Amino acid sequence: MKLVVAEDYEDLSRRAVAWLRDALAGIDIPNVVLPTGNTPLGLYHNLAAEPNGQFLTNARFIQLDEYQGIPREDSRTLAGWFWRTLLDQLSIPKTALLSFDPSAPDPDAEAARMEVVATKAGIDACVLGLGVNGHLGFNEPGSDFASRSRVVELAQDSLKSNAAYWGDETSVPRRAFTLGLRTLATSSHTLLLVSGAQKAEILATTLTGPQTPQVPATCLKSFRDVTVIADRSAISQKMHTVRTMITPKTPEILH
Ligand code: PGA
């Protein structure tokens, strides 16, 4: 794993564009997993603003996660969020997103269908946000590192953080689809984006703590080619201490 410390959120978002461009260089029709949430909005803004964003024009996007049990037309779908914040901005058709159907009558079968979609396509690059509870996608604490795409109950922390997107906790669906941790591990390149002091503690735990399903993000240590881009506010005092202990097996700090 490689840790890149960005000066601030702008810098993080700029570096994320460069990372994605490099990860997909030379691939004609790349398969990409990108997150929703607040953290990647700067990346999406930059992709839309720069001619460089066009390198995604031919991409196929495999949805990372989606609420379960709401209509496709519901304004809270994460597919809708993704269309609005990225695809529409790049004039990429909505059909480029291979997505979970939030209203599928058999949710387990729907999760299994998306697992096949993801594994058959193969993931060239995956960008992830970090939950305050250490989740990746909706792989909540307790998720097996060998987990595949499935339906999950949202953890209390996720209900709380998602309430910020939709006004209050009662507006947050209780269940969701997510690509599994093992599914995500198949990606050739993975980028974890972490911004803000509220993520400092969980980032330190992710990078320096033992691998445990209680902190799903610690599974990243076993993934191929992982880069973490965190802004300075997400680097805790604890991490500064850890920097003196860095070895080739642990994250490398770059500026
Ligand atoms: P955020 O969400 O980018 O809105 O902080 C990240 C996550 O919960 O995965």
Side-chain angles (χ1 to χ4, degrees):
M1 274 195 353
K2 183 167 79 172
L3 173 64
V4 177
V5 182
E7 283 305 316
D8 51 24
Y9 182 68
E10 295 303 313
D11 188 31
L12 171 148
S13 302
R14 265 195 308 273
R15 289 172 185 263
V17 176
W19 181 92
L20 195 55
R21 194 175 40 239
D22 288 353
L24 302 181
I27 306 174
D28 290 339
I29 305 179
N31 296 318
V32 188
V33 173
L34 296 177
T36 45
N38 288 323
T39 313
L41 293 178
L43 161 66
Y44 298 162
H45 176 79
N46 288 351
L47 285 168
E50 292 176 22
N52 287 340
Q54 298 311 315
F55 66 83
L56 285 176
T57 306
N58 292 329
R60 285 189 300 189
F61 301 88
I62 299 163
Q63 192 174 28
L64 172 62
D65 50 13
E66 178 59 278
Y67 297 122
Q68 190 272 323
I70 58 173
R72 271 182 190 274
E73 308 71 37
D74 194 291
S75 58
R76 293 165 297 174
T77 67
L78 298 181
W81 181 326
F82 190 70
W83 290 332
R84 288 189 298 277
T85 57
L86 184 67
L87 298 192
D88 290 351
Q89 308 302 320
L90 291 173
S91 303
I92 294 175
K94 290 180 168 47
T95 49
L97 176 66
L98 309 177
S99 57
F100 294 97
D101 176 358
S103 63
D106 183 343
D108 292 334
E110 178 62 5
R113 182 189 67 79
M114 275 300 284
E115 176 68 21
V116 172
V117 166
T119 48
K120 268 200 171 165
I123 304 170
D124 295 304
C126 174
V127 179
L128 298 167
L130 179 65
V132 283
N133 63 358
H135 79 191
L136 297 177
F138 278 128
N139 289 283
E140 302 287 24
S143 293
D144 199 309
F145 288 179
S147 59
R148 298 290 183 173
S149 306
R150 66 201 186 286
V151 181
V152 298
E153 302 278 338
L154 265 62
Q156 195 54 45
D157 283 330
S158 297
L159 291 172
K160 212 167 132 197
S161 59
N162 280 233
Y165 306 148
W166 312 117
D168 62 69
E169 228 175 277
T170 58
S171 306
V172 182
R174 278 3 197 196
R175 286 157 64 89
F177 294 101
T178 187
L179 297 184
L181 294 176
R182 175 60 61 81
T183 323
L184 296 174
T186 62
S187 180
S188 302
H189 308 282
T190 300
L191 174 64
L192 182 70
L193 290 177
V194 191
S195 172
Q198 74 283 6
K199 301 281 178 74
E201 193 171 341
I202 191 64
L203 177 61
T205 305
T206 298
L207 295 178
T208 65
Q211 282 193 295
T212 167
Q214 289 317 314
V215 183
T218 58
C219 74
L220 290 168
K221 292 174 183 174
S222 307
F223 284 23
R224 279 181 281 171
D225 190 36
V226 177
T227 300
V228 179
I229 304 181
D231 58 18
R232 280 196 187 280
S233 61
I235 304 293
S236 64
Q237 203 48 46
K238 192 167 149 195
M239 283 281 294
H240 285 295
T241 315
V242 166
R243 285 168 67 166
T244 60
M245 298 163 34
I246 292 163
T247 70
K249 285 200 131 184
T250 52
E252 175 192 356
I253 308 269
L254 300 178
H255 292 281

